[in-house]
């Protein structure tokens, strides 16, 4: 069982039970107790869980799951969204590819020629290299939970770019709160990318709607939404 699957099981069990014990996780994940402890240590470092002697609880302050977990959610829906998003890229364009599992899923479906991708997504780099896509990585610090580069350097470097289209992740879409995310720097970067782009798309599976996160980065009419559902009055692909 790969790490993504184990972490999903661990988080699901923690959400259902107040306390979960290592021996139960060993059985549920079909792995060794050493692997369970290693997973829990990494998850505690990301502030997802709190360990106690012999077990673990969900961290009540955790507000965002890491990409290693999110990439295993809503797979068929995200694949559909990723295919539709990749079709928007034309030959010879410069595009911005945000961090996150939805934009990561786009990469295998990108077939446009002579494009340049600007990204802050750490996991995205190996896939982009495999496809021999010219890639520019923005500078900044790495945020563990989203595996994204962000910060003041990232924000300032965007002044040097103009994008034909941008593809952005989103944490919450709500009629009153509008388009939201969980981190101030990532919100600032997303907002600036929209300003620097001819077209900006957000990739949204059904779990993102009617959800509010702390930091707003766009109004509903600032972006084009790529989604299988259309619950709000906004621009859809």
């Amino acid at each position: 069982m790969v790490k993504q699957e184990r972490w999903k099981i661990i988080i699901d069990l923690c959400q259902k039970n107040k306390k979960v014990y290592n021996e139960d996780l060993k059985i549920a994940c079909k792995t060794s107790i050493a692997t369970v402890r290693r997973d829990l240590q990494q998850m505690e470092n990301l502030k997802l869980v709190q360990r106690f002697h012999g077990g673990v609880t969900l961290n009540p302050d955790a507000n965002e799951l890491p990409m290693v977990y999110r990439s295993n959610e809503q797979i068929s829906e995200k694949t559909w969204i990723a295919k539709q998003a990749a079709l928007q890229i034309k030959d010879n364009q410069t595009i911005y590819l945000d961090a996150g599992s939805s934009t990561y899923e786009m990469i295998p479906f990108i077939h446009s020629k002579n494009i340049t991708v600007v990204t802050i997504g750490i996991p995205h780099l190996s896939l982009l290299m495999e496809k021999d896509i010219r890639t520019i990585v923005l500078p900044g610090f790495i945020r563990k939970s989203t595996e994204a580069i962000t910060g003041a350097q990232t924000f300032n470097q965007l002044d040097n770019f103009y994008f034909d289209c941008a593809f952005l992740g989103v944490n919450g879409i709500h009629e009153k709160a509008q388009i939201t995310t969980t981190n101030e720097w990532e919100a600032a970067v997303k907002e600036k990318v929209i300003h620097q782009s001819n077209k900006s798309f957000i990739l949204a599976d059904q779990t993102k709607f009617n959800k509010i996160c702390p930091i707003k980065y766009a109004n509903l009419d600032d972006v084009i939404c790529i989604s299988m559902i259309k619950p709000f009055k906004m621009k859809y692909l």
Side-chain angles (χ1 to χ4, degrees):
M1 187 181 294
V2 299
K3 182 189 286 188
Q4 288 94 329
E5 294 171 334
R6 296 197 305 271
W7 283 32
K8 178 171 172 37
I9 289 170
I10 292 168
I11 290 174
D12 287 346
L13 286 173
C14 286
Q15 288 174 334
K16 292 174 184 175
N17 304 279
K18 187 173 182 181
K19 294 182 178 180
V20 183
Y21 293 90
N22 293 353
E23 286 295 331
D24 295 328
L25 293 175
K26 171 187 170 183
I27 295 169
C29 295
K30 299 178 182 178
T31 190
S32 67
I33 197 70
T35 299
V36 168
R37 287 172 179 154
R38 184 165 57 249
D39 283 343
L40 294 180
Q41 178 64 66
Q42 293 173 357
M43 294 173 77
E44 187 173 54
N45 291 343
L46 291 170
K47 302 186 188 313
L48 293 173
V49 298
Q50 294 176 338
R51 293 190 298 164
F52 60 87
H53 183 67
V56 66
T57 62
L58 197 65
N59 184 351
D61 296 325
N63 59 11
E64 186 168 357
L65 299 180
M67 185 179 154
V68 71
Y69 177 79
R70 289 180 286 114
S71 62
N72 216 38
E73 295 184 314
Q74 310 295 331
I75 294 174
S76 60
E77 187 179 4
K78 284 185 177 179
T79 299
W80 183 90
I81 293 168
K83 288 179 179 179
Q84 299 305 311
L87 288 172
Q88 307 313 305
I89 303 171
K90 310 303 179 187
D91 293 349
N92 306 309
Q93 287 188 330
T94 298
I95 71 166
Y96 178 84
L97 206 58
D98 201 6
S101 57
S102 295
T103 53
Y104 178 86
E105 296 295 335
M106 284 179 59
I107 299 171
F109 305 110
I110 297 175
H111 303 298
S112 305
K113 298 176 181 178
N114 193 37
I115 66 169
T116 298
V117 171
V118 180
T119 189
I120 60 170
I122 301 298
H124 299 41
L125 301 180
S126 58
L127 282 185
L128 290 164
M129 285 191 295
E130 285 176 17
K131 291 184 68 71
D132 200 26
I133 294 173
R134 183 173 183 262
T135 303
I136 298 172
V137 186
L138 295 178
F141 67 84
I142 297 173
R143 187 171 176 235
K144 280 186 179 181
S145 63
T146 55
E147 298 183 60
I149 300 167
T150 192
Q153 283 182 293
T154 315
F155 182 84
N156 293 332
Q157 190 68 22
L158 284 167
D159 288 329
N160 298 320
F161 294 95
Y162 185 80
F163 307 108
D164 294 290
C165 50
F167 299 89
L168 301 167
V170 60
N171 296 89
I173 306 173
H174 192 276
E175 284 187 299
K176 290 184 178 180
Q178 308 285 295
I179 313 294
T180 59
T181 190
T182 60
N183 178 268
E184 290 183 2
W185 270 122
E186 289 195 16
V189 169
K190 291 175 193 289
E191 184 176 8
K192 192 164 188 177
V193 165
I194 292 170
H195 183 264
Q196 300 289 102
S197 302
N198 183 41
K199 287 183 180 179
S200 296
F201 300 91
I202 58 169
L203 283 57
D205 64 67
Q206 59 186 299
T207 65
K208 307 300 172 62
F209 292 95
N210 286 310
K211 183 177 178 182
I212 300 175
C213 294
I215 315 296
K216 175 184 173 182
Y217 71 85
N219 295 316
L220 293 179
D221 58 1
D222 289 334
V223 295
I224 301 166
C225 183
I226 305 177
S227 178
M228 292 183 73
I229 62 173
K230 301 178 180 181
F232 298 146
K233 289 183 179 180
M234 59 186 301
K235 291 179 283 187
Y236 294 94
L237 186 64

